Amino acid sequence: MLVDSHCHLDRLKLEPYDGKLQGAIDAAHERGIGQMLCISISLDNVETVLDIAQQHPTVLASVGVHPCDVSAGTATREQLTAWSQRDKVVAIGETGLDYYHETESVAEQKASFALHLEVAGEQGLPVVVHTRAARQDTLDLIKAHGNPEHAGVLHCFTESWEMAQAAMEMNYYISLSGIVTFKNAKELQEVARKMPLDRLLVETDSPYLAPVPYRGKPNEPKNVREVAEFVADIKGISYDELAEITTRNFYKLFSRAQQHRPQ
């Protein structure tokens, strides 16, 4: 079994499935993807993500506000705490810092990220972290406000090996998306080569960032297999071994997911 550790099921392009999300989920199952983690990004879509997880047995949920969405409204401590206790919620986030797309809301991003980290620690949940062009601030806030016992994951990782090392020293995992398959992603491929297997996750971040050979097309969870196959080749191991290891890592990090694991 393989797990898509990060996807946005409420944003998938569902025309190939007559507009039905179950079609995309079934297509993933047919390719050996047994479970997927659906990520919320804004105050507006948390309930949608929670509903999707309730309606689909193999979908889990993460709750939070993306750094690029904080200007439209940030979550309160009370909201995050209440969401974190909902059924099938296994993580807090997507949260973090993005200084590439959002330069006007740095203070709001930092405050929101710190709050997400604190609530996650209080609730014993890992954090799903987005970071772009904010390496040192991301690491500093994790160190200052995070709980290393539960830690989290730097998702859709595109940063340096040095940042990956620093995050892993704080008990974080690193998740690779379809970007690792791109021809110009040499630095990221080198990070993948160096990554210890026990800290590795794979994801689609669908509907974005489809891996080769689907680059430029809408992405969906079934394509996490291409990511896993590519990374397995980089690591010099079989796809089956990579799938087994990343799945084991997923359930170790997202421990609440164990109770919803497909039989």
Side-chain angles (χ1 to χ4, degrees), residues 12-13 31 39 43 60 64 71 74 78 82 93 106 127 135 152 172 182 189 207 214 217 221 237 240 243 245 255:
L12 294 190
K13 308 298 183 183
R31 299 200 71 206
I39 309 291
L43 295 178
L60 302 163
S71 57
T74 58
E78 292 72 25
V106 169
V127 186
R135 293 178 182 178
Y172 267 66
F182 298 174
Q189 290 162 11
Y214 310 113
K217 298 179 181 179
I237 62 176
D240 287 343
I245 290 168
S255 57

Side-chain angles (χ1 to χ4, degrees), residues 3-144:
V3 176
D4 183 356
S5 68
H6 192 113
C7 56
H8 301 278
L9 299 180
D10 57 316
R11 298 190 166 205
L12 294 190
K13 308 298 183 183
L14 297 174
E15 289 81 2
Y17 307 108
D18 297 322
K20 297 178 181 178
L21 177 58
Q22 188 61 52
I25 292 172
D26 289 342
H29 292 164
E30 289 169 7
R31 299 200 71 206
I33 292 85
Q35 201 151 40
M36 52 211 77
L37 177 54
C38 185
I39 309 291
S40 60
I41 59 169
S42 68
L43 295 178
D44 291 338
N45 89 322
V46 169
E47 290 297 335
T48 300
V49 167
L50 291 170
D51 286 345
I52 289 171
Q54 284 300 306
Q55 294 165 17
H56 300 279
T58 57
V59 177
L60 302 163
S62 180
V63 291
V65 177
H66 191 287
C68 292
D69 286 80
V70 296
S71 57
T74 58
T76 65
R77 183 178 297 273
E78 292 72 25
Q79 283 176 310
L80 283 171
T81 300
W83 290 336
S84 73
Q85 295 169 359
R86 297 277 290 273
D87 185 40
K88 299 188 79 175
V89 171
V90 302
I92 297 289
E94 180 174 357
T95 182
L97 302 174
D98 191 318
Y99 298 170
Y100 181 84
H101 290 107
E102 291 290 327
T103 57
E104 302 295 320
S105 61
V106 169
E108 291 89 344
Q109 288 183 49
K110 286 183 175 181
S112 177
F113 187 24
L115 180 60
H116 281 69
L117 288 163
E118 290 169 5
V119 172
E122 293 163 5
Q123 297 300 315
L125 287 173
V127 186
V128 178
V129 176
H130 168 105
T131 179
R132 189 164 186 193
R135 293 178 182 178
Q136 196 56 53
D137 281 356
T138 297
L139 294 170
D140 288 347
L141 282 166
I142 288 172
K143 185 174 183 178

Side-chain angles (χ1 to χ4, degrees), residues 125-196:
L125 287 173
V127 186
V128 178
V129 176
H130 168 105
T131 179
R132 189 164 186 193
R135 293 178 182 178
Q136 196 56 53
D137 281 356
T138 297
L139 294 170
D140 288 347
L141 282 166
I142 288 172
K143 185 174 183 178
H145 297 275
N147 182 340
E149 183 179 345
H150 301 287
V153 56
L154 300 187
H155 103 92
C156 192
F157 192 77
T158 56
E159 303 294 340
S160 67
W161 171 239
E162 290 71 24
M163 185 180 191
Q165 286 180 300
M168 288 186 289
E169 287 173 3
M170 292 188 286
N171 203 24
Y172 267 66
Y173 289 70
I174 305 296
S175 182
L176 300 176
S177 71
I179 293 174
V180 75
T181 71
F182 298 174
K183 287 183 178 180
N184 61 348
K186 300 302 182 185
E187 182 180 4
L188 183 57
Q189 290 162 11
E190 187 59 30
V191 170
R193 192 169 287 110
K194 293 177 178 178
M195 273 291 302

